Amino acid sequence: MTTPYDTAKLHSFVQQLGRLLDRHPTELEILAQGGSLLGQLVERDDWLPMAYAQPHPHYYQQYLLHADPLGRFSVVSFVWGPGQATPIHDHTVWGLIGMLRGAEESQAFARDASERWVAQGQPRRLAPGEVDAVSPRIGDVHRVRNTLADQVSISIHVYGADIGKVQRSVYLEDGTRKPFVSGYSNAAAFLSTETI
């Protein structure tokens, strides 16, 4: 028998973020106030069901937790097996990343004069409870990896669209661009629109 998970914490986060977006805030307000809300969500690791925390042995998993029925945002759990990483990629919309379990590292990238992608600054390491942001305005291209070689890490991502349906790009360091749409590792969201 599986233990039922209380959806109250995620439910409250989704409602509060929806109310914030109802006010038509600027992107900076979304990142600041939404980031604070996400920080509250990830400050305790006691609400994510095991079905949305399962790693894959070869690549990271992206589980849809909630897609706003108006298309304004999505909430996703990223589950990283030991040492797993993304390629260099973009998002094309604002995004918030909250670390729930383990640790991950994000390395920002930018094009140099020859149009090659090069690392920008020092990597940012996220520990549980910490939040980071991305967007085309503040920096949107990065590579992310689980910094732990012997355990799973989980981060909760919030994007300004249904990110599994957004046309995005992966970049090779030589500047080559490869379009992709990520989709999700699960068929049904944790929180449906009927429960909100």
Side-chain angles (χ1 to χ4, degrees):
M1 181 170 157
T2 59
T3 303
Y5 286 85
D6 183 359
T7 62
K9 196 163 189 178
L10 181 59
H11 188 271
S12 176
F13 170 78
V14 166
Q15 287 185 321
Q16 290 178 75
L17 185 61
R19 284 195 293 270
L20 169 62
L21 296 176
D22 286 343
R23 298 194 306 263
H24 305 287
T26 65
E27 182 179 277
L28 289 177
E29 292 169 329
I30 293 169
L31 297 180
Q33 295 171 37
S36 178
L37 293 173
L38 182 57
Q40 294 169 35
L41 179 65
V42 298
E43 71 186 0
R44 290 191 49 177
D45 181 8
D46 61 357
W47 56 269
L48 184 66
M50 286 300 297
Y52 301 90
Q54 295 301 308
H56 187 280
H58 303 297
Y59 46 83
Y60 67 90
Q61 298 282 73
Q62 179 174 307
Y63 295 104
L64 177 64
L65 301 179
H66 177 73
D68 177 60
L70 301 177
R72 300 174 299 172
F73 67 95
S74 55
V75 184
V76 180
S77 67
F78 272 71
V79 182
W80 309 88
Q84 290 177 352
T86 68
I88 301 168
H89 65 281
D90 64 14
H91 309 87
T92 75
V93 297
W94 61 262
L96 293 163
I97 302 100
M99 204 68 212
L100 185 67
R101 187 180 304 165
E104 72 181 40
E105 180 181 273
S106 172
Q107 174 62 64
F109 280 79
R111 288 187 190 272
D112 66 10
S114 64
E115 296 296 306
R116 295 177 61 84
W117 289 96
V118 295
Q120 287 290 109
Q122 294 299 310
R124 170 141 160 97
R125 187 175 193 273
L126 286 182
E130 294 181 330
V131 175
D132 199 6
V134 294
S135 89
R137 289 172 188 78
I138 66 169
D140 189 42
V141 178
H142 68 173
R143 178 168 45 207
V144 182
R145 71 179 184 92
N146 180 357
T147 63
L148 305 177
D150 60 350
Q151 72 182 62
V152 170
S153 291
I154 299 175
S155 49
I156 305 301
H157 297 220
V158 183
Y159 295 104
D162 185 344
I163 198 66
K165 298 178 180 177
V166 173
Q167 178 80 41
R168 301 190 288 147
S169 297
V170 165
Y171 301 97
L172 303 182
E173 290 184 13
D174 69 3
T176 303
R177 175 183 174 268
K178 294 185 175 187
F180 81 104
V181 176
S182 66
Y184 296 110
S185 301
N186 57 318
F190 175 40
L191 283 187
S192 69
T193 54
E194 290 79 30
T195 62
I196 300 300

